[in-house]
Amino acid sequence: MHLYGVNVRLCSYPIVNYKLMESISNKEIVLICYRKIIRDLDLSLVDKYIREDYIQHSPTVKDGMAGLCEMLHFMKTLPRPTEVAPSPIIRIIAQSDFVAVHLDIRFMGKRAAIIDLFRLQDGMLAEHWDAGQGIGDDDVNMTNGTITINESVDARESKMIVQQYYNNDLSKADVYLSADYIEHNTASTLLNWPDSIKMHRLIAEGDLVFAQCEGVKSGKIFALYHIFRVETGKIAEHWSVEQEVPAVMAHGNGMF
């Protein structure tokens, strides 16, 4: 995991039952990878959970399993944390082969909101995207708010509402927002949209919807990752991160 060019050590994750099971969900597989491979740096599990042809889109990490292992080996050289930190995982949304994870990372006095997106294939991580944005003193609410997914809400309906929002005049975003709408990113609100936007992927679980978008602001290209909470047919809560797409990356796969 990178934080503005600095490799960071994630410290604590939700507990997963590692006993043998007849089946294990993609969400559970991702949590195992965070906890055992990223946090504990147990490289013996890489072959079990990471495909050899793993496709990397994070701009600072080299492609493939080899690139991921290079990053993990570097992380082994970093000082181990002296204190156990709370879990950085705030929200996790899964649909079909995709899992999106919203994280609040704190490292060496810096704090950032990160959203990772994984595509899984045959029970292994096959592809990874991410985007991150620093959290300043004025943005302390970027990751707080509703955490639990309301599974009684039809994910198809949640996705449809967000899709309609993107398909229509975004300058009239308030039409789609609930009266008590909560915005968590004051720098990238739904009422302050980019000059142009392209959606690449949209996944939903219950009342939470993740949208991976590419936007243009003042001639610069940004990765825009959004999480929406839908309630009674409208968008009730919104989190996001935005990261400028660099001209040079560690691979040729692009950020999308």
Side-chain angles (χ1 to χ4, degrees), residues 180-253:
D180 55 353
Y181 166 75
I182 302 171
E183 174 59 64
H184 290 276
N185 189 344
T186 57
S188 180
T189 75
L190 295 185
L191 298 176
N192 179 24
W193 213 244
D195 303 328
S196 65
I197 192 165
K198 175 183 179 181
M199 182 191 296
H200 287 273
R201 292 165 186 88
L202 189 68
I203 70 170
E205 182 179 3
D207 61 339
L208 293 187
V209 182
F210 164 75
Q212 181 196 40
C213 301
E214 177 180 356
V216 178
K217 291 186 175 184
S218 303
K220 297 179 180 180
I221 301 175
F222 287 83
L224 306 173
Y225 284 20
H226 297 266
I227 295 176
F228 304 85
R229 181 174 65 83
V230 175
E231 183 178 11
T232 62
K234 287 198 172 186
I235 296 169
E237 201 165 2
H238 170 249
W239 303 264
S240 66
V241 298
E242 63 175 54
Q243 179 180 340
E244 185 175 353
V245 176
V248 178
M249 303 187 196
H251 49 71
N253 299 327

